[in-house]
Structures are given as structure tokens and as C-alpha cells.
Amino acid sequence: MEQLMKNTKDFAVSLVKAAMNKGASAAEVMVVEGSEFSVGVRLGEIEKLKDSASQHLGLRVLWEGRQAALSTSDFSREALDRLVQEAVELAQMTSVDDQLCLPDEADYAKDWPDLALYDSELATLATDKKIDLALAVETSAKNTDPRIVNFDGGGFDAACRGVIMANSAGFVGSYEATACSLAIVPIASENGSMQQDYWYDNKRKFNQLESAESIGRQAANRALRKLGGRKVKTQQVPVVFDQRVAASLLGDIFQAISGDSIMRKSSFLVGKLEEKIASDLLTIIDDGRIAGALGSRPFDSDGLPTQRTEVVKNGQLNSYLLNTYTAKKLGLKSTANASRGLSGPPTVTCNNFFIAAGKSSPKEIISSVKTGFFVTDLMGFGVNIVTGDYSRGASGIWIENGELTFPVEEVTIAGNLKEMLKQIEMVGSDLDFRDRISAPTLKIEKMIISGE
């Protein structure tokens, strides 16, 4: 891939020049090439198999405060000439936005640290070994308990990707990355009741992936512990979010601190910079330079060097997450959180976005609850980022006298994010980078559980 990417870098620069020769005031090209593999299994059989390679490019053109973005997978000379012409003509038809621009030349990424994003072992992994892994994770789940009777999916996925970016301000950058994932969704059955859950792992490198045996066993145990679930009476109690659910909550917080939401004034955190918004225990970080992490990259989609941003420090909101455009709109400095598809302008994304680990183990957190709810799953989309109102369908395990007792299902947990953040009483020590958004176990002082 290195030789191909070298040639494509030159090609990307030439395409930028072609757009400028057509009269564009600025131009930016992003080329993405790579391969994807996916195998899905069910009950010992291969249900789907995909192995593909692709190469695409996106061209963004600025024309006196106007912009257009087009993409293609046709790299022929005729198709590219047409793409450049159409992009320039389309840009002239759009409305003027005086904040549209490329970053200042001095701000572009200039160093290329080794972020351990690429794994040659994964890139050359034999197909039969990938299939064996998918079958092994299902076998592990099935062998955990005879009550595991079926599956709702599972398999192994791998991707290798090269990214090249060039623009008319002289920035040219590239990087390669790999990623793989292994997951299984077992279905448990007992006395006419059926429940399903899942477990998974995502990693940049194959040898860092959790074993198929461990993933299968954990997925099975998560489904088994739901059997016999029932509602509880409506009440207000402490709520403990497990890692996966806490990461979902953090995803909602990302929406609230994203420059896109702040710019549109559609977040309950508008105007809250440097204010106390959460418990002293809460520190939230975005870091695009953690070696080997899924959200790491040397530069963002504006070409700016990724960085570590303390979004919330001991409960105080210190920063929003911004790309060049939203930063300029808000009169702030970009935090290098630009992301773009090939056919659109940059938006705001997170890199590795996580809640800093606390000092309490999950067992200590659960032991601290006399009567409460340990939430392991959330359903629905009942979160209003404008007001902070939070209401989600949930299932999990009831806590009595510090012990997990019986499974709970078909209840709703409700609160308001503004209060929930201030009521974080304990933060777990079990932070685990399994996704780009990661969180440890969290305990919230009280929420309304709506059941019977």
C-alpha cells in the first residue's frame, strides 16, 4: 500500500492544482483506499462473507465564500476532469458563507508520530483464520450454558485503510490504519422466556483482540443473567451505569459539547464554558494521539494535528469540540475534531473521547447501593440535547443491600442531563478502550425508575 499511497499523494496534489486552475479560491482533496472483510456466522454455518477493495476520492472547492463537495470512485482522466469542472460550477451556485475557509498555514500538522495504527499481521491474515475466529466465538457462547439456544448474529470484521489529504494551502498528509472486531449475540431461553445480549471487542491490532473464548463466554453470561426479568415499582433510586451504558451517556454529552450543536444553539451547554457543569469526580477528555487507540489519527479532516483536550476537568466545562468552521463561527480555536465524508464538508467528531477512570471498582460501586438499579442496556432515543431531558427504556439488575439480586426489564429511567452530571457520586476504575467513546462504570445519586 505504501507505493500506491505515494503515487496517490502526487495524484491528490495534481487534482488540487486542477481545481485552482479552474478558478477556485481554495481546494481540498481526500483519497481513501483500502479493503474490508466481514464474515457472519450462525449455528456453525457461514451466513455472509464479504471481501472487497475500494478507492474513492472527495473534492471540496471554495469559490469566494461558496463551497461544493463531490466524490467519485472513477479515477479515469475524463471522469476527474468532469468532477473538477462540476465542483467549480456547483460552488458558484451555492450561497455565500463568509466563515468558509481553509485553516491558517501555520496551524497544519507538521509531525507524524507513530500512533501504532497499522497492523501488518491483520492486513495479511488468512481468510480461513478469520472464519475460524467467527465460528470459535459462537462455539464459546454455546458451550457456556445449555440455555444458549440460538444466535442473532456474530462474526469477525477487518478493515485496512489508507487516507491521503492535500489542499491548496500546501498541506499534504497521509496515514494507514487497520481495525478488527469480533462479536456475538447469543439468545438464552428458560421456561418460555427468551433474552439476548452481546459482547464484542474492537482493536487496531489483531494480537490485541480479546480472545474468542472470552467474548463468547461474556456474551452468553450477559444474556443468561437477563432470564426471568420483571418490572419494579416506580420509584427514585441510585442508578449504576455499566461501562457500555455509561459510554452511551457519554455519547449524548458529546452531542451537547459538539461545535455543531453549540453553533446552532441547540445544546443545554451553550454559554457554559468555564462553568461548573458536573460533579468534581467527572473529567472528560478527547485525545487523538493515544497509541493504538481506535480514534487516533495524526491529523483531522482539516489537516490540523490532533491533540489532547480536557473538555471537562473536575466538573468544569473547559472546552467544546470544534473543527475549523465551527471554531471560526464561535470565535474560538479549533480542537482538531474535524471529520468529513468524501462528498460533504467537514463536520465535528470525537477522536478518543472518554471519562477518566476513577478509584472505585465496579464491585465497590454496587456495594455502596442499598436499593438501586444496575443498568446494563438502554433502548430508544429519549434524549433532548437542547433541554437535557433524559428518558430511556432500560433493563439490568436490581441491587439490594449492595448485592445484585434479580433481573429487571421493561422500565424507563428518567432525569435531566444537567442534574445527572452533577449527581455523579462514584466513577469506576474499569475504563477500557473498546470503542472511540469509552467510559468506566458510573453511579448517579438518583433517577426516576418508571415500572409498575
Side-chain angles (χ1 to χ4, degrees), residues 410-421:
E410 296 183 20
V411 299
T412 300
I413 59 172
N416 185 285
L417 285 172
K418 288 179 278 192
E419 296 304 317
M420 290 164 63
L421 293 175

Side-chain angles (χ1 to χ4, degrees), residues 275-283 312-317:
E275 290 188 17
K276 190 86 168 176
I277 64 160
S279 157
D280 288 342
L281 298 174
L282 188 68
T283 292
V312 175
K313 174 72 171 177
N314 298 133
Q316 177 173 300
L317 179 62

Side-chain angles (χ1 to χ4, degrees), residues 4-14 164 166 172-174:
L4 182 59
M5 288 185 64
K6 179 178 182 301
N7 293 335
T8 310
K9 265 187 183 179
D10 297 338
F11 160 73
V13 171
S14 69
I164 302 99
V172 184
S174 68

Side-chain angles (χ1 to χ4, degrees), residues 46-286:
I46 297 173
E47 200 167 51
K48 62 178 181 179
L49 184 64
K50 173 186 172 184
D51 195 353
S52 63
S54 62
Q55 190 176 42
H56 301 272
L57 73 84
L59 170 65
R60 184 166 74 114
V61 167
L62 303 185
W63 181 288
E64 298 176 355
R66 299 171 169 87
Q67 74 172 341
L70 297 176
S71 67
T72 185
S73 59
D74 185 348
F75 282 44
S76 67
R77 188 70 266 164
E78 296 76 15
L80 295 174
D81 287 345
R82 190 164 57 248
L83 181 81
V84 171
Q85 184 66 36
E86 289 177 355
V88 172
E89 291 176 356
L90 189 61
Q92 295 175 61
M93 299 168 63
T94 61
S95 56
V96 174
D97 184 339
D98 58 10
Q99 302 300 315
L100 286 172
C101 65
L102 298 181
D104 294 335
E105 291 184 26
D107 293 334
Y108 285 111
K110 297 177 180 63
D111 64 320
W112 310 101
D114 180 8
L115 296 177
L117 305 181
Y118 188 80
D119 179 20
S120 57
E121 180 185 5
L122 177 61
T124 57
L125 194 66
T127 298
D128 58 354
K129 192 165 185 177
K130 299 172 188 173
I131 294 172
D132 288 346
L133 262 177
L135 293 169
V137 71
E138 186 185 74
T139 299
S140 172
K142 187 169 180 56
N143 291 343
T144 298
D145 193 285
R147 292 173 292 173
I148 300 298
V149 297
N150 208 335
F151 295 89
D152 191 28
F156 178 79
D157 294 271
C160 305
R161 190 171 77 144
V163 176
I164 302 99
M165 184 176 166
N167 68 26
S168 56
F171 173 79
V172 184
S174 68
Y175 63 90
E176 296 173 89
T178 54
C180 57
S181 66
L182 187 61
I184 191 69
V185 189
I187 298 173
S189 178
E190 185 178 51
N191 298 326
S193 168
M194 299 187 78
Q195 295 286 351
Q196 72 176 45
D197 206 324
Y198 70 93
W199 196 241
Y200 68 102
D201 194 17
N202 296 320
K203 288 291 186 294
R204 288 280 187 200
K205 297 192 175 184
F206 179 68
N207 66 7
Q208 295 172 344
L209 200 64
E210 189 175 333
S211 72
E213 290 72 22
S214 174
I215 293 172
R217 186 171 58 252
Q218 290 193 68
N221 287 329
R222 291 179 72 94
L224 290 165
R225 70 183 184 181
K226 288 181 169 182
L227 289 169
R230 61 180 192 264
K231 291 183 179 180
V232 293
K233 292 183 178 179
T234 298
Q235 55 196 294
Q236 192 173 51
V237 294
V239 169
V240 178
F241 284 15
D242 86 348
Q243 289 172 300
R244 199 174 68 187
V245 175
S248 169
L249 179 68
L250 184 59
D252 296 327
I253 297 171
F254 164 71
Q255 295 300 324
I257 54 90
S258 163
D260 288 327
S261 299
I262 301 299
M263 180 185 70
R264 292 193 297 269
K265 299 189 183 305
S266 59
S267 166
F268 69 94
L269 292 177
V270 170
K272 299 294 185 183
L273 275 182
E274 300 184 359
E275 290 188 17
K276 190 86 168 176
I277 64 160
S279 157
D280 288 342
L281 298 174
L282 188 68
T283 292
I284 300 175
I285 295 165
D286 183 79

